[in-house]
């Protein structure tokens, strides 16, 4: 069965797993047919004020991402749902359910954070994806050593990646969270895998500083290394340049994604740095292809 790329999903459970993270369970059409893979991404559509259900494009364009997005943009702005990217934390096809973890950001909140902070059973969102066309093959079972680095927004993906590692994997995960209350128990039952929690409150600078220090201080053993980086876009760029310029990692051995931008949202126009990152990602994908390392979703 080919899963539907576009559908409404309905909240069946809401759990506050840390003070700043909410786990929401959804059910809906097509979730029983999804194929699971680590670091699985989807788009969530949040209703505008006054809407109980987000307005989605009419059926017919789901099989073509560009056509669907053009139809999405054709919806009047005051009726068009806010769309944000998230990671599928877990998938239960028998129950037709997925779970998604939402970070409750400090300070002024956007529509996704506002929704997650008050989410309740019965609430409805729209989804686009996950699309199997973007299910790349990361070298989780072929690299000699793996580095995962990200902030709280990357934690769901890092968790799913760790859970897919072979028993003899050697890896280090550096995760920046606000403080000790944000640490989560992860399913790390492999002796060669270490999770290093770093606290943003302990850093002298702003978001990302503690993570940068942790990666710079990490011992990278000899052998074939693969790095997976995600989180705030500027921090991810700095980490990648450190690994390439100072550690000598090949660009094709680093998968990187800017999940969010400081002081900006996905609705804002791309900055010059965003465009530069997009070009870097295109170059990295080419390098990955040439080196035999597949891309992530």
């Amino acid at each position: 069965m080919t899963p539907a790329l576009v559908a409404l999903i309905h909240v069946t459970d809401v759990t506050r797993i840390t003070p700043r993270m909410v786990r929401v369970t959804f059910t809906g059409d097509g979730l029983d047919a999804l194929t699971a893979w680590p670091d699985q991404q989807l788009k969530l559509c949040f209703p505008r004020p006054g809407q109980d259900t987000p307005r989605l494009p009419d059926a017919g364009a789901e099989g073509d991402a560009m056509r669907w997005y053009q139809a999405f943009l054709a919806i009047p702005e005051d009726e068009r749902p806010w769309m944000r990217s998230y990671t599928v934390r877990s998938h239960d096809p028998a129950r037709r359910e997925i779970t998604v973890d939402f970070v409750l950001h400090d300070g002024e909140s956007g529509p996704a954070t506002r929704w997650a902070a008050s989410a309740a059973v019965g609430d409805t969102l729209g989804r686009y994806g996950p699309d199997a066309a973007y299910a790349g093959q990361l070298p989780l079972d072929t690299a000699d050593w793996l580095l995962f680095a990200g902030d709280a927004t990357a934690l769901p993906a890092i968790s799913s990646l760790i859970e897919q590692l072979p028993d003899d994997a050697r890896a280090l995960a550096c995760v920046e969270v606000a403080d000790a209350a944000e640490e989560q128990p992860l399913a790390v039952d492999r002796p060669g895998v270490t999770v290093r929690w770093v606290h943003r409150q302990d850093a002298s600078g702003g978001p990302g500083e503690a993570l940068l220090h942790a990666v710079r201080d990490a011992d990278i053993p000899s052998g074939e290394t693969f790095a997976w980086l995600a989180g705030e876009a500027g921090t991810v760029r700095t980490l990648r340049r450190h690994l390439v310029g100072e550690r000598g990692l090949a660009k094709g051995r680093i998968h990187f994604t800017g999940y969010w931008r400081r002081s900006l949202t996905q609705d804002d126009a791309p900055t010059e740095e965003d465009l530069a990152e997009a070009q870097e990602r295109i170059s990295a994908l080419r390098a990955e292809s040439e080196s035999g390392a597949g891309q992530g979703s």
Side-chain angles (χ1 to χ4, degrees):
M1 179 188 299
T2 300
L5 287 179
V6 182
L8 295 176
I9 52 177
H10 314 284
V11 176
T12 59
D13 186 69
V14 179
T15 303
R16 184 69 69 93
I17 55 177
T18 71
R20 293 181 175 87
M21 187 169 283
V22 176
R23 177 164 296 163
V24 182
T25 303
F26 298 94
T27 190
D29 292 341
L31 296 182
D32 54 335
L34 289 181
T35 299
W37 63 86
D39 189 17
Q40 186 175 45
Q41 307 294 312
L42 82 165
K43 304 287 188 182
L44 294 179
C45 297
F46 298 84
R48 290 277 180 169
Q51 296 177 338
D52 292 326
T53 301
R55 178 179 171 183
L56 300 177
D58 294 334
E62 296 94 331
D64 184 309
M66 185 57 67
R67 281 182 59 206
W68 186 88
Y69 189 60
Q70 289 172 343
F72 175 83
L73 293 178
I75 298 172
E77 185 174 0
D78 60 345
E79 299 179 26
R80 185 191 315 144
W82 291 288
M83 186 163 63
R84 299 290 186 266
S85 300
Y86 279 91
T87 301
V88 176
R89 178 62 187 88
S90 65
H91 174 222
D92 187 339
R95 297 175 61 90
R96 293 197 314 153
E97 288 183 340
I98 59 172
T99 61
V100 177
D101 291 350
F102 295 82
V103 176
L104 303 182
H105 296 282
D106 297 329
E108 184 176 352
S109 59
T113 295
R114 292 195 299 269
W115 181 89
S118 60
V121 172
D123 288 351
T124 298
L125 296 184
R127 69 169 175 89
Y128 185 99
D131 189 344
Y134 298 98
Q137 295 298 315
L138 299 176
L140 302 181
D141 57 352
T142 58
D144 297 323
W145 191 78
L146 301 110
L147 170 67
F148 305 108
D151 58 24
T153 64
L155 184 51
I158 290 174
S159 300
S160 71
L161 288 162
I162 288 176
E163 290 166 1
Q164 294 297 315
L165 293 178
D167 292 340
D168 61 349
R170 295 191 303 146
L172 169 66
C174 296
V175 185
E176 182 184 282
V177 293
D179 50 41
E182 294 304 306
E183 296 182 17
Q184 299 179 26
L186 302 184
V188 182
D189 54 1
R190 298 157 184 80
V193 178
T194 300
V195 177
R196 182 172 301 162
W197 297 97
V198 293
H199 300 156
R200 190 164 64 246
Q201 66 176 8
D202 296 337
S204 57
E209 284 299 315
L211 183 62
L212 292 172
H213 287 304
V215 172
R216 285 170 175 153
D217 291 343
D219 292 326
I220 297 181
S222 59
E224 192 68 43
T225 294
F226 180 81
W228 183 99
L229 315 173
E232 195 279 320
T235 301
V236 169
R237 282 192 289 267
T238 302
L239 285 171
R240 180 172 178 266
R241 289 165 186 164
H242 162 71
L243 292 174
V244 172
E246 299 176 40
R247 299 297 192 112
L249 266 68
K251 291 181 178 180
R253 302 299 293 174
I254 303 174
H255 175 84
F256 66 104
T257 308
Y259 281 169
W260 60 283
R261 302 177 293 169
R262 202 164 295 155
S263 302
L264 296 171
T265 74
Q266 291 184 16
D267 299 318
D268 295 310
T271 65
E272 290 186 6
E273 285 190 325
D274 294 327
L275 296 174
E277 178 184 330
Q279 185 57 52
E280 284 188 66
R281 281 183 58 78
I282 292 171
S283 299
L285 291 174
R286 289 173 179 163
E288 285 178 6
S289 177
E290 291 171 358
S291 67
Q295 71 182 58
S297 58

